[in-house]
Amino acid sequence: EDQVTQSPEALRLQEGESSSLNCSYTVSGLRGLFWYRQDPGKGPEFLFTLYSAGEEKEKERLKATLTKKESFLHITAPKPEDSATYLCAVQAGSSASKIIFGSGTRLSIRP
Amino acid sequence: NAGVTQTPKFRVLKTGQSMTLLCAQDMNHEYMYWYRQDPGMGLRLIHYSVGEGTTAKGEVPDGYNVSRLKKQNFLLGLESAAPSQTSVYFCASSYFRDRGPTEAFFGQGTRLTVV
């Protein structure tokens, strides 16, 4: 069964304290992996798409990486405005019904 | 551009009542989706559409119906609301490329409570 697991469920960091969020997956054929950011009371906002193992993408303090079994979202020197829930989604086939979301990591950055 | 717009933003229904949630996108996307988001469960796909006049079931379609009469609009209907349908509903849209659907653009959500 296709599955996406995100860890930890919640993470509290001090401003400037770098860390990583994990998204591990078991799917029969990865077509793509997406990272989204979701602020309270709002819809998810797209961050990155990764297609193959070894691929990396960066945006400001965020860097996403992909292996054959998991993806990491590295956050370097975070600021309070980086506080949000980060969602990972895996596309396990060409059908739209094959997009599976993880339950997210709730990130809180203390000033 | 407005992107993806959902109406209403909040709604309280009594058990057995019906309602329709409207989603509109102005990005000319082929794909549109309805998700529900519940605490600890992530986003779950209810129904989706790959183009005007077509719809398909997702992971949790029971109790919902959808229609896509125009490319820019995707409607989600609840014929007889149940407390288990209390959730936050998100509409999304995306392009389709050779690899499959691209990244999705989401609306702001509709918070529905069924009492």
Side-chain angles (χ1 to χ4, degrees), chain A residues 31-76:
Chain A
R31 291 292 190 103
L33 185 143
F34 306 96
W35 280 99
Y36 293 89
R37 170 192 170 126
Q38 186 175 22
D39 293 301
K42 296 192 174 182
E45 179 182 345
F46 170 72
L47 292 173
F48 304 108
T49 307
L50 301 168
Y51 290 109
S52 55
E55 190 174 358
E56 299 182 353
K57 291 212 176 153
E58 283 188 71
K59 180 180 179 180
E60 296 180 356
R61 294 176 293 281
L62 298 176
K63 178 180 177 180
T65 62
L66 181 65
T67 72
K68 289 186 178 180
K69 293 185 177 181
E70 59 192 348
S71 176
F72 291 95
L73 185 66
H74 307 278
I75 181 161
T76 303

Side-chain angles (χ1 to χ4, degrees), chain A residues 3-48:
Chain A
Q3 199 165 8
V4 177
T5 303
Q6 290 189 247
S7 61
E9 288 187 13
L11 182 62
R12 296 189 69 184
L13 299 173
Q14 199 69 33
E15 183 173 2
E17 180 185 2
S18 301
S19 188
S20 298
L21 313 182
N22 178 263
C23 172
S24 64
Y25 59 90
T26 52
V27 298
S28 52
L30 181 71
R31 291 292 190 103
L33 185 143
F34 306 96
W35 280 99
Y36 293 89
R37 170 192 170 126
Q38 186 175 22
D39 293 301
K42 296 192 174 182
E45 179 182 345
F46 170 72
L47 292 173
F48 304 108

